[in-house]
Structures are given as structure tokens and as C-alpha cells.
Amino acid sequence: MNSMNDMSGINDMSGINDMSGINGMGGINGMGGMSGSGGADDVLDGDAVTSRYDGEVLERGGRPGDAWEGVDAAALAQAVRAQAGRPVPGIADMASYLTAQVSDASHREVVGPLLDGRGPGGVVVRRGTVIAAWGDPTRAEMAFSATKSVLSLVGGVAFDDGKLRLDEPVAESVDLPQFAGPHGRAITWRHLLDQTSQWEGELWTKPTWADAQSTREGTESAGGPPGEGWAYNDVRVNLTALALTALSGRALPEVLRERVMTAIGAVGDWSWHGYRNSVVDLDGARVPVVSGGAHWGGGLWISALDLARIGQLCLRGGEWDGQRVLSRRWIEELWTPCGVKPNYGLSWWLNDDRTVWPRAPRTGRCARGNGGNHLLWVDPARDLVIASRWGAEVEDLLVEVSKAVAPLA
């Protein structure tokens, strides 16, 4: 989807009153492989609905077993129906919605493309099989800061290729002015990916201080040594994207497509955008640089199904259908707590101490954006992946689905 107006190939199932895309009973009475139009004829017993996604197998290489083993199907159906009925307001006009999200009035100008939201949608995947779906999980939506976690997968490609060493200064492998001074030369790839670089400056006309997110955690020491303070800062994440582009020698969407998305069978109309002014000269060519979030537009636009595929890849330790896509070592690094911020890894949130989602299982890891309105939840203890888009109160979804899906023995 290269244009915000190009919705070709996407089926419209976005109405919040249209419950035809909800599925929670697909494993009952042999209906798990049923496919259909998702219309009213698919209603079973008045309270459960199957859809065309029911029983779809995303990945077969994991732990064997029935996807519905240990699942309370009725409770699962109730959980996803509830989530489908909790739309985030105001998303039909993304420009206005985004303006309200940016706290700093002096830098509200959107410099990347926008995609209007079209209502709640998502999937629940157990043992590689879709066991519940709501809305239209094939429709691409802006991922907001969930993009950061996908950016870390591109870092994993460079890591596996031997180009990136986590605790090596970035300046040793890329030649960029942002890493030329004393502070910049001390920044490592780990600092960039776990958001502890404490870099101060301006990138693509946006200064680091303009991102109000930076101060909300109270763990940053502005201008302090790299690794000694943490801040959730889109400008610094954009610096990570710039550094990885320079390291890769080409645009990051190309790397992601060739090395990850094709391997996991991502078939949706996903795309990854930067800003109108975010380019870098590499060997005489002007290469676009994507953004790591949507604070000022851009970022990853992806469907819930394809986002779930990414979660499934991480759940399987970097393998897909028995084939190695990313190293297990890299997935372990993604989920290793940051010393300054223990509930954060390499651009992934960790619920070990239940400070990310207090009522959800501590075994969960997640990519989240826009306060959780976009969420990719991975729970290895349950062999479970949840992708939710534009649904409010998502912690309720995590709690209810986790109750409906028993941990593996």
C-alpha cells in the first residue's frame, strides 16, 4: 500500500456493528476448517461465528498438538466479541487524531503519510493456527510504535550477517555525523535498540526534546552517558532506522521483505514509510529512510494477520516451518531485559514484572503502539499470539483470552 488512498485488494469488513468477521468456535464440531463469506449464515447457535480465517494455519513447524486443546471456546468467543465492540474513537480522520496525540505544539507538523483507521480487527493464533478473528484482519493499518519491534528484526538480519555487534559503537560500522562527537562515539547498537542512547539532536526537522514521551518515565538523564538513562523517543528510534539503513546499504523495507516477510508468507499489502524529507546519500544514491513510529506520520502499515506472523516467528525462536529466518540468539536478545528499564528489551516490552500489563500473564512479550491500541502479544507459555488493531481497553482482551487458553503442560 504505497498510497494512503490506495485500498485496492483489501476487503472492507471494518464496521464495528458487523460481527461477521468474529470467530471463536472454529474448533468445535469439526468446524475448524470451515471457510465462508463471513456473513450471517455462518452464525452457530446464536452466539458464535465462524469466518473465512477460521482454522487458517499460519505456521506448522512448532510444537505438535490440537490448537484447541485447553481452550475454552465460549470464553474465547466472548472475549473477541467484546474487543470488536470497543473501537478507538476519532481514527477515521487520522490527521486530526494524530494532532491530538502530539503534546508539543511547536512540532505538530506531520511529515509522513497517514492512513485513516477503519475500526477494530485482530486475530488469536494458537499453535500456529488462527482460532479467532474479528473485524478484517487482512486490512492494513498504521502500526504506530509497534513498528519499533519490527525495526529490531531488521537489526537481527544485520546481526545474523555479522554486520552488527550489539555492544560495539555504531561509529565503528557506519559513517554518520550523528555519531561523530564524544557522546555519539560512545553509543552502541544495543543503546539504540533498547532506547538508552540518550542522544540529543535534531533529525528530519524534529528535535529529541520535542517528544514528550521522553520525560514520562523519569529515567532519562538528558545528555547523560549512553546506557545510563532510558527514554521512549521517536527521534532516537528514527536515528536507529537511519543507522541501520546506512549499515544495510539499502532501504529497510527491502531488507524486511526479502529476509523476513517473504519467508513467513506475509501476503498482505504491508508497507513501511518514512517522512517526505527522510533520505540519506549512500554511495551517490538517495535512499529513503523509514520511521520507527507514527508520531509524525509514516511507520509500518500492516494487517493483523501479517503482524501475527511476525509474532509467530518470534514465538518459534526465529524459525518458520522448520526453516531458520532469524537466529535464536537474536530472539533471546530481543527479550533480554534492559538494565535501566527491566520491562523493556531490544524494542520489545516484557511483562515479567507485570508493569506493562498488570493483569495479563507475566509470560507475555509484546510490541505495542499508540498506548496499546495496536498490539502484538506473544506468550510462549501458551503457544499464543494475539494481534489487535484499533481496539480500546486491550488489557481486557489479554486477560480474557489468557483465561480462555490454558498454559501448556
Side-chain angles (χ1 to χ4, degrees):
M1 182 175 296
N2 295 321
S3 167
M4 61 179 285
N5 297 315
D6 181 9
M7 300 300 291
S8 60
I10 298 181
N11 297 320
D12 183 7
M13 298 174 64
S14 59
I16 64 173
N17 296 316
D18 175 13
M19 303 300 287
S20 62
I22 300 176
N23 157 42
M25 299 281 286
I28 294 181
N29 298 325
M31 300 300 291
M34 174 178 175
S35 63
S37 63
D41 292 342
D42 293 331
V43 175
L44 302 178
D45 300 326
D47 66 349
V49 184
T50 61
S51 78
R52 79 184 76 181
Y53 315 106
D54 182 39
E56 181 171 342
V57 177
L58 300 187
E59 188 262 346
R60 300 179 183 273
R63 186 178 305 191
D66 179 6
W68 284 89
E69 181 183 358
V71 177
D72 182 335
L76 178 64
Q78 183 177 357
V80 299
R81 281 179 179 277
Q83 189 63 16
R86 292 193 287 258
V88 175
I91 62 172
D93 182 354
M94 191 52 58
S96 297
Y97 179 84
L98 200 60
T99 295
Q101 301 291 302
V102 180
S103 299
D104 185 81
S106 65
H107 288 85
R108 280 187 174 174
E109 182 189 10
V110 172
V111 289
L114 301 178
L115 179 65
D116 291 340
R118 299 179 67 192
V123 292
V124 177
V125 179
R126 179 97 184 300
R127 286 178 162 159
T129 299
V130 177
I131 60 171
W134 64 100
D136 181 359
T138 68
R139 185 183 65 242
E141 297 279 6
M142 296 178 73
F144 284 74
S145 284
T147 304
K148 295 172 174 60
S149 303
V150 178
L151 181 64
S152 70
L153 300 189
V154 178
V157 171
F159 176 84
D160 291 345
D161 288 348
K163 295 181 179 179
L164 183 155
R165 295 176 177 82
L166 272 171
D167 297 306
E168 178 181 273
V170 176
E172 292 188 16
S173 49
V174 300
D175 183 15
L176 292 169
Q178 290 81 4
F179 303 100
H183 187 279
R185 287 195 298 271
I187 296 173
T188 67
W189 289 103
R190 188 183 299 276
H191 295 146
L192 287 182
L193 288 164
D194 69 10
Q195 302 218 54
T196 62
S197 74
Q198 304 209 101
W199 180 80
E200 296 290 334
E202 181 177 299
L203 188 63
W204 320 133
T205 74
K206 303 297 183 182
T208 49
W209 57 260
D211 194 337
Q213 300 174 115
S214 285
T215 59
R216 71 182 182 194
E217 299 287 341
T219 57
E220 180 181 31
S221 57
E228 295 188 12
W230 184 93
Y232 203 67
N233 189 290
D234 267 28
V235 178
R236 293 184 187 134
V237 174
N238 290 341
L239 177 62
T240 306
L242 171 61
L244 284 172
T245 302
L247 184 67
S248 302
R250 55 184 179 144
L252 299 189
E254 296 177 13
V255 179
L256 183 67
R257 184 180 301 277
E258 291 178 14
R259 298 293 295 275
V260 177
M261 301 301 273
T262 298
I264 65 176
V267 295
D269 198 9
W270 69 273
S271 55
W272 197 355
H273 306 265
Y275 305 147
R276 59 174 176 261
N277 58 342
S278 59
V279 295
V280 62
D281 290 322
L282 298 177
D283 295 327
R286 290 175 64 78
V287 178
V289 180
V290 294
S291 66
H295 201 105
W296 295 286
L300 185 69
W301 300 0
I302 190 171
S303 71
L305 270 173
D306 281 347
L307 195 61
R309 286 184 171 91
I310 290 173
Q312 186 69 20
L313 173 68
C314 295
L315 181 68
R316 293 288 180 253
E319 285 192 0
W320 190 267
D321 281 341
Q323 301 298 312
R324 177 61 59 189
V325 178
L326 292 168
S327 66
R328 180 171 293 277
R329 167 72 185 282
W330 185 253
I331 304 302
E332 292 171 350
E333 289 285 2
L334 296 183
W335 295 346
T336 297
C338 166
V340 181
K341 181 75 171 172
N343 64 4
Y344 201 72
L346 296 185
S347 304
W348 279 76
W349 293 93
L350 316 174
N351 207 41
D352 300 52
D353 55 8
R354 284 186 159 163
T355 54
V356 180
W357 302 109
R359 295 185 293 120
R362 65 178 70 252
T363 49
R365 285 84 178 81
C366 67
R368 67 176 184 179
N370 198 230
N373 293 330
H374 300 273
L375 185 74
L376 173 60
W377 174 263
V378 179
D379 185 353
R382 289 171 172 78
D383 207 337
L384 178 70
V385 173
I386 303 172
S388 175
R389 323 301 305 283
W390 288 131
E393 300 174 37
V394 73
E395 187 173 13
D396 289 344
L397 174 71
L398 298 181
V399 171
E400 295 307 314
V401 171
S402 297
K403 287 180 180 177
V405 179
L408 300 176

